Amino acid sequence: MKLSIVAPFHNEEENVDEFFNRVLPIIRAESDSIEVVCVNDGSSDTTLAQLRGWREKEPVIRVVNLSRNFGKENALTAGLDHATGDVIIPMDSDLQDPPELIPQMIEKWREGYDVVYARRTVRNTDTLAKRMTAVWYYRLFNFIADRPIPDNTGDFRLMDKKVLGEVKKLGESARFMKGLFSWVGFRCTAVEYERPPRHDGKESLNFRNLWRLALDGITAFSTVPLKIWSYIGMGVAGIAFLYGLVIIFKTLILGIDVPGYASIMVIVLFLGGVQLLSLGVIGEYVGRIYLEVKKRPHYIVDPEDEQGSRR
């Protein structure tokens, strides 16, 4: 069994040494054939220099240096494209994905499972707002998506090489990796763990990036947001029809003069808001179509560090 670890790095200079000091002994105890594919995602600190230094000491380390910051999903895609193992484990470089869980994952793989994902049971390191939004996002995604994703899971998982082969065939530009991993299927199981805090440094994913990733996930795996506006349109039309009957009844039957300015303004503003919201949803999907038809590569590799191909 050849074991591949895939880890994106973005400004993780405080964590590089600890990452290798913890990961390498664990995976060496599991296999005689290993590789650690490290993707430098446009770091502006000393991360790249440290990775190169470790590569000089440890030949099992491979450095994939991207030409700029392409984002975590694309960096992870680059690492998976360069992994050559029979078993592939993507994980975060900040050590919130504990490498001590790897032997348990491999044991599940030996039992016959193709995918072993790590499920977080405790997320005390996250803020209350982040925990609550994560819960509601997983519920919303699994309610509307064609293929649900396991709740409280990230990219930290074990995949057999046949699973990775199918993931590589999925070429969309909006890379929501958790959704792609789930979409390909195969025989899956979970191992549970308590999510530890970052070893050091500051998390690079901010609210804006998380919001963008959440929208990418929903629009990439569901068309429900588009369909729902048909029902909203029918509902608004039904309300307008009923309101029209009320006005006709008051005017023709009861002889009551119905003031028009206020009611017309409310109706116009309401319908305008509904139309703008619907256009916004359509715009999200059209924007993703625009990105897909351009067929730009997911990432560009600096050939000085890795002879791998560009995709």
Side-chain angles (χ1 to χ4, degrees), residues 246-260:
V246 171
I247 292 177
I248 292 173
F249 177 78
K250 284 184 176 181
T251 304
L252 298 182
I253 306 302
L254 301 180
I256 300 176
D257 184 21
V258 180

Side-chain angles (χ1 to χ4, degrees), residues 172-185:
E172 55 253 52
S173 298
R175 309 294 292 175
F176 184 65
M177 298 306 294
K178 289 187 286 292
L180 297 180
F181 293 150
S182 178
W183 187 87
V184 297

Side-chain angles (χ1 to χ4, degrees), residues 53-297:
W54 272 94
R55 182 181 57 186
E56 295 299 320
K57 297 185 294 183
E58 298 284 355
V60 298
I61 295 174
R62 300 173 60 192
V63 178
V64 180
N65 183 31
L66 303 188
S67 61
R68 63 171 178 84
N69 178 254
F70 284 87
K72 182 183 176 182
E73 304 298 294
N74 287 326
L76 181 57
T77 299
L80 295 175
D81 285 345
H82 287 78
T84 60
D86 302 304
V87 171
I88 302 92
I89 301 178
M91 62 186 300
D92 289 345
S93 54
D94 58 10
L95 297 170
Q96 285 193 283
D97 296 338
E100 291 76 14
L101 210 62
I102 292 176
Q104 190 175 347
M105 290 178 164
I106 295 176
E107 183 62 31
K108 292 290 185 181
W109 174 75
R110 290 194 172 109
E111 292 175 7
Y113 291 100
D114 301 309
V115 178
V116 184
Y117 53 84
R119 175 183 286 135
R120 308 156 187 160
T121 57
V122 177
R123 302 181 62 168
N124 292 332
T125 58
D126 295 333
T127 63
L128 177 62
K130 188 174 181 179
R131 294 198 301 269
M132 293 301 297
T133 53
V135 169
W136 285 107
Y137 178 75
Y138 279 112
R139 290 180 179 176
L140 173 64
F141 183 93
N142 290 337
F143 179 73
I144 67 175
D146 299 328
R147 174 75 180 180
I149 58 176
D151 59 344
N152 285 314
T153 61
D155 299 320
F156 186 32
R157 66 191 62 214
L158 176 150
M159 292 182 291
D160 188 89
K161 64 179 179 181
K162 68 181 180 182
V163 179
L164 179 58
E166 298 304 319
V167 172
K168 287 181 179 180
K169 296 177 183 178
L170 308 178
E172 55 253 52
S173 298
R175 309 294 292 175
F176 184 65
M177 298 306 294
K178 289 187 286 292
L180 297 180
F181 293 150
S182 178
W183 187 87
V184 297
F186 293 96
R187 192 181 181 201
C188 306
T189 190
V191 293
E192 297 183 341
Y193 73 105
E194 295 185 9
R195 186 166 175 81
R198 284 178 58 91
H199 174 260
D200 207 339
K202 183 179 179 182
E203 185 177 5
S204 58
L205 281 177
N206 53 32
F207 176 79
R208 179 183 177 183
N209 293 333
L210 291 173
W211 174 252
R212 196 77 240 166
L213 182 62
L215 286 181
D216 286 343
I218 290 176
T219 54
F221 289 91
S222 176
T223 58
V224 169
L226 285 174
K227 296 176 182 177
I228 196 172
W229 289 104
S230 299
Y231 300 102
I232 292 177
M234 288 188 291
V236 171
I239 293 172
F241 178 75
L242 293 176
Y243 184 62
L245 293 179
V246 171
I247 292 177
I248 292 173
F249 177 78
K250 284 184 176 181
T251 304
L252 298 182
I253 306 302
L254 301 180
I256 300 176
D257 184 21
V258 180
Y261 179 77
S263 59
I264 290 175
M265 285 300 299
V266 170
I267 292 172
V268 169
L269 291 175
F270 174 72
L271 291 177
V274 170
Q275 290 170 347
L276 289 175
L277 283 173
S278 62
L279 286 175
V281 173
I282 295 172
E284 286 290 336
Y285 283 89
V286 172
R288 279 153 179 77
I289 296 172
Y290 174 65
L291 292 176
E292 293 294 336
V293 298
K294 288 192 291 186
K295 296 187 181 299
R296 289 179 180 173

